[in-house]
Amino acid sequence: MPSIMSPQWQDKAAGFLSSSGVKLKEAKESAGTFVGEVTKDTKSNVSEVAGRVGSMVKSRWALLQQPSTRHAVQDRLISAAATTGTLLRRGFSGTKDKVVVGKSKVEEVAKITAQKSKTILTDIERWQKGVASTDVFGVPIEVTVQRQDYCKPIPQILVNCADYLIVSGLNSPYLFKSEGNKRVIQQLVSLYNQDSTASVPEGTNPVDVAALVKYYLASLPEPLTTLELYNEIRGARSSIYSTRNILKRLSSVNYMTLEFITALLLRVSQKSLLNKMDARTLAIEMAPVIMWQKESRPEFYRQYWNQMSKSPSEKSVDTPLDNTAWDMLADDGEAIDASSPIPLDDGTPVDFGAIEVIQLLVEHHNAIFTDANETVWK
């Protein structure tokens, strides 16, 4: 279904293309000025040499009329002419080399600008049509579940990640707290955007898999607990009974996925002596991506998940722009450092109420999700 490009995207794209044009024009003008100055200097040098030779010839003209000195002067003139010719050749050769270098620099700038522009225009076309039909990051959870062929209404990416952690990662220190390797996570994002049923590659660090779960949840347009029920769920956090009844009003997809995620967190907390992550610590890390208000959306996580560009698809759904496009629109030097960790204080007030809710769901998981098909791992 067609989507309307946001004004923010239009402004960013227009700004980049305008900036690229200015930079290319400046590069051409700079190269032209550079070549002009080199040519001017060379002409000046040639004129100076020619003037010196002319002065010498003029001052010695009388000697030229005397047979006794004619041969000696001729030899000196020949030598001067040869020297002048050498200087001219060197000057022109140097000018030619510098012109070639200047031209190469202009071509390099033009090539880079054209390449980035082409990528951006491809993304514009893609986002005008919508997100590719295989994407899972940034796509409403209901859409992802509808696309897949799985017996439970839970995104397959979460199931595969959870299975991997249960088998080989529960003892890993600081699961869901360590932010993981950005490059590895970007590769996993690209993998699952192309194939939502893919298995986690063997040998992947469990910390990266846990971080991928966080980034997926942060990419959802709406939290699992929904914006509508935020205040009610938060207000009922002191009562298991009230919380259970309110959660029943969630859609089947949201309810089952919330049960699945908190069941996984419960399993992680049961290994807290090894992984250093008890229910409270897990709640602190996961609450911002599971339960948030509209004005406190976990946007800062988005710069650490990176939806790779793929060919546009005919089948699509409307969704916000990913960070790859914004990175390409950024000026040089603004790219995010892959090695830098997520700041502990991003300026967003800590939602202690949401933390208490998630802690409650983890510690009293079985008592709250009584009518769900309880998630059980071997």
Side-chain angles (χ1 to χ4, degrees):
M1 107 185 21
S3 63
I4 299 176
M5 197 189 312
S6 68
Q8 183 183 20
W9 170 250
Q10 290 178 331
D11 293 342
K12 272 282 189 178
F16 170 78
L17 296 176
S18 175
S19 176
S20 297
V22 171
K23 289 182 179 179
L24 184 56
K25 181 178 179 182
E26 289 177 351
K28 289 182 177 178
E29 291 177 351
S30 177
T33 301
F34 172 73
V35 172
E37 290 177 352
V38 171
T39 305
K40 181 179 179 181
D41 289 343
T42 303
K43 288 180 179 179
S44 177
N45 291 336
V46 171
S47 298
E48 183 179 352
V49 172
R52 289 168 60 187
V53 173
S55 297
M56 181 182 69
V57 172
K58 182 178 179 180
S59 64
R60 304 292 181 174
W61 180 252
L63 293 175
L64 287 174
Q65 309 305 316
Q66 300 177 15
S68 61
T69 59
R70 183 174 302 169
H71 294 293
V73 173
Q74 285 179 343
D75 290 339
R76 294 179 65 181
L77 284 175
I78 290 172
S79 176
T83 301
T84 302
T86 301
L87 290 174
L88 288 173
R89 285 194 298 272
R90 288 179 180 175
F92 286 128
S93 176
T95 299
K96 182 179 179 181
D97 291 341
K98 291 180 180 180
V99 169
V100 171
V101 172
K103 181 180 178 182
S104 298
K105 289 183 178 179
V106 172
E107 290 177 346
E108 183 180 355
V109 172
K111 183 178 180 181
I112 294 174
T113 301
Q115 189 174 27
K116 294 180 76 173
S117 299
K118 181 179 179 181
T119 304
I120 290 174
L121 291 174
T122 300
D123 282 345
I124 291 175
E125 180 183 0
R126 181 185 180 193
W127 292 108
Q128 282 178 329
K129 293 181 178 180
V131 179
S133 61
T134 57
D135 286 359
V136 293
F137 281 78
V139 176
I141 190 171
E142 297 85 356
V143 175
T144 298
V145 170
Q146 288 173 3
R147 292 173 178 166
Q148 65 188 26
D149 183 15
Y150 185 62
C151 58
K152 292 184 178 180
I154 303 169
Q156 186 73 51
I157 179 177
L158 295 179
V159 175
N160 292 355
C161 288
D163 289 345
Y164 186 89
L165 292 175
I166 293 295
V167 172
S168 59
L170 290 182
N171 295 339
S172 300
Y174 304 111
L175 280 179
F176 296 102
K177 184 173 184 178
S178 296
E179 305 305 338
N181 185 307
K182 184 185 177 185
R183 293 185 182 278
V184 173
I185 294 169
Q186 287 179 345
Q187 292 172 357
L188 292 174
V189 170
S190 179
L191 170 66
Y192 280 103
N193 272 342
Q194 296 177 50
D195 181 6
S196 62
T197 64
S199 299
V200 176
E202 186 177 352
T204 303
N205 190 332
V207 168
D208 294 330
V209 177
L212 183 70
V213 172
K214 288 175 68 175
Y215 303 146
Y216 171 74
L217 295 174
S219 78
L220 295 176
E222 188 173 13
L224 286 180
T225 54
T226 71
L227 298 173
E228 180 184 1
L229 295 179
Y230 172 85
N231 288 326
E232 291 186 59
I233 295 174
R234 191 175 187 278
R237 64 186 183 277
S238 60
S239 169
I240 294 176
Y241 175 81
S242 299
T243 299
R244 179 171 62 231
N245 288 337
I246 295 172
L247 292 182
K248 288 180 181 179
R249 292 160 53 189
L250 292 171
S251 68
S252 175
V253 173
N254 287 59
Y255 184 83
M256 293 300 295
T257 302
L258 182 61
E259 185 277 329
F260 183 84
I261 289 297
T262 50
L264 173 61
L265 297 179
L266 174 60
R267 287 295 299 271
V268 173
S269 69
Q270 291 170 347
K271 297 283 186 177
S272 61
L273 290 178
L274 296 174
N275 59 38
K276 316 297 182 185
M277 299 298 291
D278 57 20
R280 177 68 177 182
T281 306
L282 287 167
I284 291 173
E285 296 300 323
M286 297 300 291
V289 299
I290 294 177
M291 182 177 176
W292 40 269
Q293 293 176 291
K294 187 174 182 179
E295 61 272 14
S296 60
R297 177 181 176 130
E299 291 289 351
F300 77 98
Y301 277 96
R302 292 176 60 81
Q303 61 184 316
Y304 291 87
W305 69 267
N306 189 356
Q307 192 166 12
M308 301 301 183
S309 298
K310 302 187 296 297
S311 299
S313 171
E314 294 297 329
K315 299 178 181 179
S316 61
V317 272
D318 191 15
T319 193
L321 288 167
D322 61 49
N323 194 61
T324 303
W326 296 124
D327 281 345
M328 290 186 297
L329 286 174
D331 291 333
D332 294 341
E334 291 183 359
I336 299 165
D337 183 359
S339 63
S340 62
I342 292 181
L344 296 178
D345 182 8
D346 65 332
T348 303
V350 177
D351 189 342
F352 290 104
I355 292 174
E356 291 173 5
V357 169
I358 303 305
Q359 183 177 355
L360 178 72
L361 298 184
V362 174
E363 292 179 337
H364 302 279
H365 176 272
N366 295 338
I368 292 174
F369 296 97
T370 54
D371 58 346
N373 294 324
E374 183 180 350
T375 299
V376 178
W377 287 279
K378 295 181 181 179

